DNA sequence: CTTGATGCAAATGGTTTGCATGTTT
DNA sequence: AAACATGCAAACCATTTGCATCAAG
Protein backbone atom coordinates (compact mmCIF):
# COMPACT_ATOMS: atom_id res chain seq x y z
CA UNK A 1 0.00 0.00 0.00
CA UNK A 2 2.58 2.48 -1.13
CA UNK A 3 0.15 5.30 -1.72
CA UNK A 4 -2.00 5.23 1.37
CA UNK A 5 -1.35 8.84 2.19
CA UNK A 6 -2.12 10.01 -1.32
CA UNK A 7 -5.30 8.02 -1.28
CA UNK A 8 -6.35 9.52 2.02
CA UNK A 9 -5.67 12.98 0.68
CA UNK A 10 -7.85 12.34 -2.36
CA UNK A 11 -10.65 10.92 -0.27
CA UNK A 12 -10.44 13.90 2.05
CA UNK A 13 -10.77 16.23 -0.92
CA UNK A 14 -13.77 14.28 -2.07
CA UNK A 15 -15.43 14.42 1.34
CA UNK A 16 -14.66 18.11 1.71
CA UNK A 17 -16.65 18.73 -1.44
CA UNK A 18 -19.65 17.01 0.04
CA UNK A 19 -19.23 13.89 -2.07
CA UNK A 20 -19.70 10.46 -0.62
CA UNK A 21 -16.84 8.06 -0.24
CA UNK A 22 -17.79 4.61 -1.46
CA UNK A 23 -15.94 1.38 -2.08
CA UNK A 24 -16.02 1.88 -5.81
CA UNK A 25 -14.50 5.35 -5.56
CA UNK A 26 -11.86 4.20 -3.14
CA UNK A 27 -10.84 1.27 -5.27
CA UNK A 28 -10.76 3.25 -8.51
CA UNK A 29 -8.56 5.92 -6.98
CA UNK A 30 -6.28 3.33 -5.42
CA UNK A 31 -5.80 1.57 -8.73
CA UNK A 32 -4.97 4.83 -10.45
CA UNK A 33 -2.45 5.65 -7.74
CA UNK A 34 -0.88 2.20 -7.83
CA UNK A 35 -0.69 1.90 -11.60
CA UNK A 36 2.75 1.95 -13.21
CA UNK A 37 1.37 4.16 -15.91
CA UNK A 38 -0.17 7.56 -15.33
CA UNK A 39 -3.06 6.79 -17.65
CA UNK A 40 -5.36 3.80 -17.68
CA UNK A 41 -8.20 2.95 -20.02
CA UNK A 42 -11.64 2.28 -18.66
CA UNK A 43 -11.12 -1.33 -19.63
CA UNK A 44 -7.83 -1.68 -17.74
CA UNK A 45 -9.29 0.06 -14.80
CA UNK A 46 -12.32 -2.17 -14.76
CA UNK A 47 -10.14 -5.28 -14.87
CA UNK A 48 -8.06 -4.10 -11.96
CA UNK A 49 -11.03 -2.99 -9.92
CA UNK A 50 -12.82 -6.19 -10.67
CA UNK A 51 -9.85 -8.27 -9.58
CA UNK A 52 -9.85 -6.53 -6.24
CA UNK A 53 -13.61 -6.20 -5.76
CA UNK A 54 -15.46 -8.61 -8.03
CA UNK A 55 -18.88 -7.30 -7.13
CA UNK A 56 -18.18 -3.87 -8.62
CA UNK A 57 -20.00 -3.66 -11.90
CA UNK A 58 -18.67 -2.20 -15.12
CA UNK A 59 -21.35 0.46 -15.21
CA UNK A 60 -20.32 1.54 -11.75
CA UNK A 61 -16.79 2.08 -12.98
CA UNK A 62 -18.14 4.31 -15.72
CA UNK A 63 -20.29 6.23 -13.28
CA UNK A 64 -17.44 6.52 -10.82
CA UNK A 65 -15.05 7.83 -13.44
CA UNK A 66 -17.60 10.40 -14.57
CA UNK A 67 -18.22 11.40 -11.03
CA UNK A 68 -14.57 11.75 -10.07
CA UNK A 69 -13.96 13.72 -13.23
CA UNK A 70 -16.77 16.12 -12.40
CA UNK A 71 -15.43 16.40 -8.89
CA UNK A 72 -12.14 17.52 -10.40
CA UNK A 73 -9.99 14.59 -9.24
CA UNK A 74 -9.59 12.93 -12.60
CA UNK A 75 -9.19 13.98 -16.18
CA UNK A 76 -10.24 12.14 -19.25
CA UNK A 77 -7.99 11.67 -22.27
CA UNK A 78 -9.73 10.22 -25.26
CA UNK A 79 -7.19 8.30 -27.32
CA UNK A 80 -9.25 8.54 -30.52
CA UNK A 81 -9.55 4.78 -30.57
CA UNK A 82 -10.76 2.14 -28.16
CA UNK A 83 -11.81 2.94 -24.61
CA UNK A 84 -11.22 6.36 -23.09
CA UNK A 85 -8.42 6.67 -20.61
CA UNK A 86 -8.24 8.57 -17.35
CA UNK A 87 -5.54 9.93 -15.12
CA UNK A 88 -5.29 11.79 -11.86
CA UNK A 89 -5.41 15.53 -12.10
CA UNK A 90 -1.90 16.73 -11.35
CA UNK A 91 -0.38 14.16 -13.69
CA UNK A 92 -1.14 16.42 -16.61
CA UNK A 93 0.34 15.29 -19.86
CA UNK A 94 -0.47 14.75 -23.49
CA UNK A 95 -0.08 11.77 -25.72
CA UNK A 96 1.56 11.15 -29.02
CA UNK A 97 0.17 7.97 -30.47
CA UNK A 98 1.90 6.14 -33.28
CA UNK A 99 -0.55 5.05 -35.96
CA UNK A 100 2.00 2.49 -37.10
CA UNK A 101 2.58 0.42 -34.00
CA UNK A 102 0.15 1.91 -31.49
CA UNK A 103 2.89 3.08 -29.13
CA UNK A 104 1.90 5.98 -26.91
CA UNK A 105 4.49 8.52 -25.82
CA UNK A 106 3.70 10.77 -22.89
CA UNK A 107 4.44 14.41 -23.40
CA UNK A 108 4.81 17.05 -20.71
CA UNK A 109 1.82 19.38 -20.48
CA UNK A 110 3.84 22.36 -21.63
CA UNK A 111 4.50 21.11 -25.16
CA UNK A 112 1.24 22.77 -26.08
CA UNK A 113 2.03 26.11 -24.49
CA UNK A 114 2.83 27.87 -27.78
CA UNK A 115 -0.44 26.65 -29.24
CA UNK A 116 -2.60 27.57 -26.30
CA UNK A 117 -1.06 31.02 -26.18
CA UNK A 118 -1.94 31.53 -29.78
CA UNK A 119 -5.49 30.27 -29.29
CA UNK A 120 -6.11 32.74 -26.52
CA UNK A 121 -4.52 35.59 -28.42
CA UNK A 122 -6.33 34.96 -31.68
CA UNK A 123 -9.65 33.46 -30.62
CA UNK A 124 -10.05 34.02 -26.91
CA UNK A 125 -10.22 30.22 -26.71
CA UNK A 126 -9.01 28.86 -23.38
CA UNK A 127 -7.57 25.41 -24.03
CA UNK A 128 -7.74 22.83 -21.30
CA UNK A 129 -4.40 21.34 -20.40
CA UNK A 130 -5.71 17.77 -20.45
CA UNK A 131 -7.31 15.83 -23.31
CA UNK A 132 -4.91 15.78 -26.17
CA UNK A 133 -3.60 13.10 -28.44
CA UNK A 134 -1.37 13.88 -31.37
CA UNK A 135 -1.18 11.12 -33.94
CA UNK A 136 1.72 10.38 -36.19
CA UNK A 137 4.57 7.94 -36.57
CA UNK A 138 7.12 7.13 -33.91
CA UNK A 139 10.81 7.19 -34.77
CA UNK A 140 10.89 3.47 -35.51
CA UNK A 141 7.84 3.39 -37.74
CA UNK A 142 8.86 6.58 -39.53
CA UNK A 143 12.27 5.08 -40.31
CA UNK A 144 10.61 1.92 -41.57
CA UNK A 145 8.34 3.87 -43.89
CA UNK A 146 11.27 5.87 -45.24
CA UNK A 147 13.01 2.64 -46.12
CA UNK A 148 10.08 1.57 -48.26
CA UNK A 149 9.71 4.86 -50.16
CA UNK A 150 12.97 6.79 -49.81
CA UNK B 1 -22.14 21.74 -60.19
CA UNK B 2 -19.52 24.24 -59.16
CA UNK B 3 -16.75 21.76 -58.52
CA UNK B 4 -16.91 19.52 -61.55
CA UNK B 5 -13.27 20.05 -62.41
CA UNK B 6 -12.11 19.35 -58.89
CA UNK B 7 -14.19 16.21 -58.85
CA UNK B 8 -12.74 15.04 -62.13
CA UNK B 9 -9.26 15.64 -60.81
CA UNK B 10 -9.96 13.57 -57.72
CA UNK B 11 -11.46 10.76 -59.75
CA UNK B 12 -8.49 10.81 -62.07
CA UNK B 13 -6.15 10.49 -59.11
CA UNK B 14 -8.18 7.59 -57.86
CA UNK B 15 -8.10 5.85 -61.22
CA UNK B 16 -4.40 6.48 -61.62
CA UNK B 17 -3.83 4.58 -58.44
CA UNK B 18 -5.62 1.57 -59.82
CA UNK B 19 -8.74 2.14 -57.73
CA UNK B 20 -12.19 1.75 -59.18
CA UNK B 21 -14.53 4.65 -59.62
CA UNK B 22 -18.00 3.84 -58.37
CA UNK B 23 -21.16 5.80 -57.77
CA UNK B 24 -20.64 5.81 -54.03
CA UNK B 25 -17.13 7.21 -54.34
CA UNK B 26 -18.20 9.82 -56.84
CA UNK B 27 -21.09 11.00 -54.71
CA UNK B 28 -19.10 11.09 -51.49
CA UNK B 29 -16.37 13.17 -53.08
CA UNK B 30 -18.89 15.48 -54.70
CA UNK B 31 -20.62 16.11 -51.38
CA UNK B 32 -17.32 16.87 -49.70
CA UNK B 33 -16.45 19.30 -52.48
CA UNK B 34 -19.84 20.99 -52.41
CA UNK B 35 -20.11 21.28 -48.63
CA UNK B 36 -19.97 24.73 -47.09
CA UNK B 37 -17.76 23.37 -44.35
CA UNK B 38 -14.41 21.72 -44.91
CA UNK B 39 -15.26 18.90 -42.54
CA UNK B 40 -18.34 16.70 -42.46
CA UNK B 41 -19.27 13.95 -40.05
CA UNK B 42 -20.05 10.50 -41.33
CA UNK B 43 -23.64 11.17 -40.36
CA UNK B 44 -23.91 14.42 -42.33
CA UNK B 45 -22.23 12.83 -45.24
CA UNK B 46 -24.54 9.86 -45.18
CA UNK B 47 -27.59 12.15 -45.12
CA UNK B 48 -26.37 14.12 -48.10
CA UNK B 49 -25.34 11.07 -50.03
CA UNK B 50 -28.61 9.39 -49.25
CA UNK B 51 -30.59 12.39 -50.41
CA UNK B 52 -28.87 12.25 -53.77
CA UNK B 53 -28.66 8.48 -54.13
CA UNK B 54 -31.12 6.76 -51.81
CA UNK B 55 -29.93 3.28 -52.60
CA UNK B 56 -26.46 3.91 -51.15
CA UNK B 57 -26.28 2.17 -47.84
CA UNK B 58 -24.76 3.55 -44.66
CA UNK B 59 -22.17 0.77 -44.51
CA UNK B 60 -21.07 1.68 -48.01
CA UNK B 61 -20.44 5.22 -46.88
CA UNK B 62 -18.21 3.88 -44.11
CA UNK B 63 -16.39 1.61 -46.49
CA UNK B 64 -16.03 4.37 -49.02
CA UNK B 65 -14.61 6.79 -46.47
CA UNK B 66 -12.13 4.20 -45.28
CA UNK B 67 -11.16 3.46 -48.80
CA UNK B 68 -10.71 7.06 -49.87
CA UNK B 69 -8.70 7.69 -46.73
CA UNK B 70 -6.39 4.80 -47.48
CA UNK B 71 -6.10 6.03 -51.02
CA UNK B 72 -4.86 9.33 -49.61
CA UNK B 73 -7.72 11.53 -50.82
CA UNK B 74 -9.35 12.09 -47.45
CA UNK B 75 -8.26 12.52 -43.89
CA UNK B 76 -10.12 11.59 -40.78
CA UNK B 77 -10.50 13.93 -37.82
CA UNK B 78 -11.97 12.29 -34.77
CA UNK B 79 -13.81 14.95 -32.78
CA UNK B 80 -13.60 12.95 -29.54
CA UNK B 81 -17.37 12.77 -29.46
CA UNK B 82 -20.08 11.65 -31.84
CA UNK B 83 -19.36 10.49 -35.35
CA UNK B 84 -15.93 10.88 -36.91
CA UNK B 85 -15.53 13.62 -39.46
CA UNK B 86 -13.65 13.65 -42.72
CA UNK B 87 -12.21 16.26 -45.00
CA UNK B 88 -10.38 16.38 -48.29
CA UNK B 89 -6.63 16.17 -48.05
CA UNK B 90 -5.37 19.62 -48.86
CA UNK B 91 -7.87 21.25 -46.55
CA UNK B 92 -5.63 20.51 -43.61
CA UNK B 93 -6.72 22.10 -40.39
CA UNK B 94 -7.23 21.38 -36.73
CA UNK B 95 -10.17 21.89 -34.46
CA UNK B 96 -10.68 23.61 -31.18
CA UNK B 97 -13.87 22.30 -29.64
CA UNK B 98 -15.59 24.13 -26.82
CA UNK B 99 -16.67 21.76 -24.08
CA UNK B 100 -19.15 24.39 -22.94
CA UNK B 101 -21.29 24.94 -26.00
CA UNK B 102 -19.90 22.45 -28.50
CA UNK B 103 -18.71 25.11 -30.94
CA UNK B 104 -15.88 24.02 -33.19
CA UNK B 105 -13.31 26.53 -34.38
CA UNK B 106 -11.13 25.63 -37.33
CA UNK B 107 -7.47 26.30 -36.91
CA UNK B 108 -4.87 26.55 -39.65
CA UNK B 109 -2.60 23.53 -39.86
CA UNK B 110 0.44 25.51 -38.82
CA UNK B 111 -0.73 26.24 -35.27
CA UNK B 112 0.88 22.97 -34.34
CA UNK B 113 4.19 23.66 -36.00
CA UNK B 114 6.04 24.50 -32.77
CA UNK B 115 4.80 21.29 -31.21
CA UNK B 116 5.60 19.04 -34.14
CA UNK B 117 9.08 20.53 -34.35
CA UNK B 118 9.64 19.70 -30.72
CA UNK B 119 8.30 16.16 -31.13
CA UNK B 120 10.70 15.43 -33.94
CA UNK B 121 13.61 16.99 -32.12
CA UNK B 122 13.03 15.27 -28.80
CA UNK B 123 11.44 11.96 -29.77
CA UNK B 124 11.91 11.48 -33.47
CA UNK B 125 8.12 11.38 -33.62
CA UNK B 126 6.71 12.55 -36.95
CA UNK B 127 3.31 14.08 -36.26
CA UNK B 128 0.66 13.89 -38.93
CA UNK B 129 -0.79 17.25 -39.86
CA UNK B 130 -4.39 16.00 -39.74
CA UNK B 131 -6.29 14.52 -36.82
CA UNK B 132 -6.26 16.97 -34.00
CA UNK B 133 -8.86 18.39 -31.71
CA UNK B 134 -7.98 20.65 -28.84
CA UNK B 135 -10.66 20.94 -26.22
CA UNK B 136 -11.29 23.92 -24.00
CA UNK B 137 -13.66 26.82 -23.64
CA UNK B 138 -14.48 29.33 -26.32
CA UNK B 139 -14.34 33.04 -25.53
CA UNK B 140 -18.03 33.21 -24.70
CA UNK B 141 -18.12 30.18 -22.43
CA UNK B 142 -14.87 31.19 -20.72
CA UNK B 143 -16.28 34.63 -19.96
CA UNK B 144 -19.43 33.07 -18.60
CA UNK B 145 -17.48 30.81 -16.31
CA UNK B 146 -15.38 33.70 -15.05
CA UNK B 147 -18.54 35.54 -14.11
CA UNK B 148 -19.61 32.67 -11.90
CA UNK B 149 -16.29 32.26 -10.09
CA UNK B 150 -14.28 35.43 -10.55
C1' DC C 1 -34.11 8.30 7.57
C1' DT C 2 -32.90 10.63 3.45
C1' DT C 3 -30.23 11.09 -0.40
C1' DG C 4 -27.43 9.38 -3.35
C1' DA C 5 -24.73 5.12 -5.21
C1' DT C 6 -24.95 0.50 -7.04
C1' DG C 7 -26.15 -4.01 -9.55
C1' DC C 8 -28.30 -5.70 -13.17
C1' DA C 9 -30.26 -6.10 -17.61
C1' DA C 10 -31.57 -3.93 -21.42
C1' DA C 11 -31.00 -0.12 -24.74
C1' DT C 12 -28.12 3.05 -27.41
C1' DG C 13 -24.99 4.91 -30.95
C1' DG C 14 -21.28 4.45 -33.91
C1' DT C 15 -19.03 1.27 -36.64
C1' DT C 16 -17.76 -3.36 -38.65
C1' DT C 17 -18.50 -7.79 -40.90
C1' DG C 18 -20.17 -12.15 -43.59
C1' DC C 19 -22.30 -13.29 -47.31
C1' DA C 20 -24.83 -13.36 -51.63
C1' DT C 21 -25.38 -10.27 -55.43
C1' DG C 22 -24.20 -6.58 -58.59
C1' DT C 23 -20.75 -3.48 -60.97
C1' DT C 24 -16.24 -2.01 -62.78
C1' DT C 25 -12.48 -3.05 -65.43
C1' DA D 1 -14.58 -13.45 -66.77
C1' DA D 2 -12.06 -11.86 -62.72
C1' DA D 3 -11.72 -8.76 -59.18
C1' DC D 4 -13.77 -5.85 -56.51
C1' DA D 5 -17.74 -3.00 -54.47
C1' DT D 6 -22.32 -3.05 -52.57
C1' DG D 7 -26.88 -4.02 -49.97
C1' DC D 8 -28.54 -6.04 -46.26
C1' DA D 9 -28.92 -7.93 -41.77
C1' DA D 10 -26.65 -9.15 -38.00
C1' DA D 11 -22.75 -8.58 -34.89
C1' DC D 12 -19.77 -5.64 -32.20
C1' DC D 13 -17.85 -2.54 -28.87
C1' DA D 14 -17.86 1.28 -25.77
C1' DT D 15 -21.02 3.54 -23.17
C1' DT D 16 -25.58 4.92 -21.04
C1' DT D 17 -29.96 4.35 -18.73
C1' DG D 18 -34.24 2.77 -15.91
C1' DC D 19 -35.30 0.82 -12.09
C1' DA D 20 -35.34 -1.69 -7.81
C1' DT D 21 -32.18 -2.27 -4.02
C1' DC D 22 -28.52 -0.86 -0.96
C1' DA D 23 -25.19 1.99 1.66
C1' DA D 24 -23.30 6.65 3.36
C1' DG D 25 -24.27 10.60 5.67
Amino acid sequence: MAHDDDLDALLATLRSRGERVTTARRVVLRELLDAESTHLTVEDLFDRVHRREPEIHRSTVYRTLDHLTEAGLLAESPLDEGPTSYHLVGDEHHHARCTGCGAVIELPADVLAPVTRRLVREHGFVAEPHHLTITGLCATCAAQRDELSP
Side-chain angles (χ1 to χ4, degrees), chain A residues 33-73:
Chain A
L33 282 167
D34 286 358
E36 339 57 60
S37 167
T38 56
H39 61 284
L40 290 178
T41 65
V42 178
E43 215 33 43
D44 275 351
L45 217 26
F46 171 69
D47 289 346
R48 289 158 190 254
V49 166
H50 193 257
R51 225 170 286 140
R52 212 177 280 258
E53 294 284 344
E55 63 281 17
I56 294 180
H57 201 266
R58 185 182 249 93
S59 65
T60 301
V61 172
Y62 277 102
R63 284 193 272 228
T64 300
L65 291 170
D66 277 7
H67 188 97
L68 294 175
T69 301
E70 296 227 332
L73 300 194

Side-chain angles (χ1 to χ4, degrees), chain A residues 77-95:
Chain A
S77 6
L79 289 187
D80 294 354
E81 211 164 75
T84 306
S85 73
Y86 286 83
H87 61 84
L88 292 163
V89 164
D91 289 344
E92 259 65 60
H93 61 273
H94 302 291
H95 294 138

